[in-house]
Amino acid sequence: MKLPMTYILGIETSCDETAAAVLDGDGHILSNVVLSQLDDHRPYGGVVPEIAARSHLDHLDRLIGQAMTEAGLQFSDLAAIAATTGPGLIGGVMVGAVSAKTIALCHQLPFVAVNHLEGHALSPRLAAVDGEALPFPYLLLLVSGGHCQILAVEGVGRYRLYGRTIDDAVGEAFDKTAAILGLGYPGGPAVEKAASEGDGARFGFPRPMVGRDNCDFSFAGLKTAVRYGVEKLDDLDRKTVCDVAASFQEAVAEVLQDRCRRAIGKFRQDFDTDPALVVAGGVAANQRLRRALSDLTESEGIRFSAPPQHLCTDNAAMIAWAGLERFRLGLTDPLDIKARPRWPLVELKGHANG
Ligand code: KG4
Ligand code: ZN
């Protein structure tokens, strides 16, 4: 359904990016402002929740103003306002949610409480992502710093969990591998860069869960194998660092391919149709992993979809988009809805037409 002249503001503050974006009713991105707090957290080698919350507080108002100015709109032009209300670091989530609710209250706008994971999950449906619309149902591989799961997406708010990690998330494995190799923080992009110069066949790291008769993941053993492998080396020169990074990345690629292959089979049984395979979340920015998944979909004869890189890592355009999808279905929320540190996708309320 098209809603011309509908504009929505989205706000994201659940981790270490402060972000605001405005979309029109067709999902065109009018503005998409992201302020990374990387430099604030780098000295600690990871995100410090209290620093994150204070930084969101310092910058969010200005970023919202910037997003509205770039879109050329006033708050009174908006049809709705959406914000991440979980899951995430609760202090930061509260900063974004309270700011959004305040604007909604002052300007009498409907408020949409967006699950951050649903933001990632629906992002490939965003008009800017792909010329061709992505219809429900599809298969979603959600891979980020805190999440690693594979789900059937039946509609807005309607998810069937096929498998998830039993220990570390894949982004966490990238971050820890980077720390072991002294590549700094954040780990994912640093490991990918080193891996691009390395020999992925030099170290035979394990492929946890490959061949198992389910769709679950496990990365703790792989991370430990990297640590032991590195401890055994006499010299960790640049060439060796790159080879370890590439060998680690190859192991992850093979695991993701195997787990997705199994999920594709399950989806075919459940829905009696071929799925499109969609990858989302920060780790989806990794070119080698995208290629591995794209190769898999080619051999399975199914469609592959991934948001462009800047929409893979945390941003507010995906929150505005998920808010727009919900708003179109009449799924708005009361202003007393609570921020939630934990909020699994399968607990979301669905909609028959979603
Ligand atoms: O979705 P995201 O921005 O934040 C949440 O965790 O929600 O994902 C961040 C994660 C981090 O673990 C980061 O290392 C990883 O995504 N990541 C990558 C790449 N870019 C970001 N992992 C592998 N390769 C990348 N290029
Ligand atoms: Zn995220």
Side-chain angles (χ1 to χ4, degrees):
M1 181 178 60
K2 274 193 177 176
L3 295 178
M5 303 306 288
T6 297
Y7 301 105
I8 188 163
L9 168 67
I11 293 174
E12 159 61 33
T13 54
S14 67
C15 193
D16 60 343
E17 267 92 20
T18 315
V22 178
L23 304 189
D24 72 12
D26 291 329
H28 297 119
I29 299 174
L30 304 185
S31 62
N32 188 18
V33 187
V34 183
L35 180 73
S36 168
Q37 302 175 358
L38 264 184
D39 292 339
D40 299 339
H41 301 287
R42 202 187 309 275
Y44 307 96
V47 179
V48 182
E50 184 62 21
I51 293 177
R54 284 171 191 273
S55 180
H56 290 308
L57 203 54
D58 287 345
H59 299 291
L60 183 59
D61 281 359
R62 181 175 53 80
L63 290 186
I64 291 173
Q66 191 182 333
M68 294 299 294
T69 306
E70 282 181 23
L73 298 174
Q74 311 279 330
F75 288 132
S76 55
D77 298 323
L78 297 172
I81 175 157
T84 301
T85 58
L89 302 173
I90 195 66
V93 173
M94 285 170 69
V95 171
V98 169
S99 303
K101 287 174 182 180
T102 307
I103 299 168
L105 188 65
C106 292
H107 295 273
Q108 299 289 299
L109 296 171
F111 174 69
V112 189
V114 174
N115 178 302
H116 177 85
L117 302 176
E118 182 160 67
H120 280 301
L122 300 179
S123 61
R125 285 167 54 82
L126 188 48
V129 164
D130 210 327
E132 210 183 323
L134 177 70
F136 297 121
Y138 54 85
L139 192 60
L140 169 74
L141 174 67
L142 183 56
V143 276
S144 73
H147 302 276
C148 180
Q149 47 192 269
I150 188 151
L151 311 110
V153 182
E154 295 180 79
V156 173
R158 293 164 56 210
Y159 299 89
R160 261 191 233 189
L161 184 65
Y162 279 6
R164 64 177 162 193
T165 182
I166 57 172
D167 42 55
D168 293 351
V170 59
E172 210 176 335
F174 268 90
D175 293 336
K176 288 178 178 165
T177 295
I180 294 166
L181 292 174
L183 289 173
Y185 169 85
V191 169
E192 179 173 18
K193 185 163 181 299
S196 69
E197 298 165 37
D199 171 8
R202 176 160 165 204
F203 298 95
F205 293 133
R207 272 65 172 150
M209 308 302 271
V210 165
R212 291 278 182 99
D213 190 19
N214 61 32
C215 302
D216 286 338
F217 303 83
S218 164
F219 291 103
L222 175 57
K223 169 196 69 190
T224 308
V226 170
R227 173 169 306 124
Y228 288 158
V230 167
E231 277 172 8
K232 269 196 253 153
L233 295 167
D234 296 329
D235 185 20
L236 198 57
D237 57 18
R238 175 71 190 168
K239 161 97 179 76
T240 307
V241 165
C242 294
D243 290 349
V244 171
S247 302
F248 161 80
Q249 196 172 260
E250 285 312 302
V252 173
E254 206 175 310
V255 168
L256 295 186
Q257 271 188 333
D258 178 79
R259 306 289 72 203
C260 288
R261 190 179 296 111
R262 209 155 279 270
I264 291 165
K266 190 164 166 49
F267 187 103
R268 284 181 171 137
Q269 273 175 8
D270 286 355
F271 295 93
D272 209 16
T273 181
D274 277 342
L277 175 66
V278 163
V279 61
V283 180
N286 185 291
Q287 294 301 324
R288 170 67 190 106
L289 300 182
R290 283 165 98 109
R291 204 169 63 246
L293 295 170
S294 148
D295 288 350
L296 170 68
T297 53
E298 210 175 300
S299 70
E300 294 282 337
I302 65 176
R303 179 174 165 194
F304 177 64
S305 181
Q309 224 155 333
H310 70 284
L311 294 178
C312 285
T313 44
D314 289 349
N315 65 87
M318 70 180 191
I319 302 304
W321 172 253
L324 183 63
E325 293 236 40
R326 294 197 146 252
F327 178 67
R328 284 167 168 173
L329 295 169
L331 297 171
T332 59
D333 296 280
L335 291 181
D336 62 356
I337 192 165
K338 289 204 165 50
R340 297 179 59 173
R342 255 185 54 75
W343 189 7
L345 271 180
V346 288
E347 283 181 19
L348 275 176
K349 288 196 180 58
H351 189 280
N353 301 323

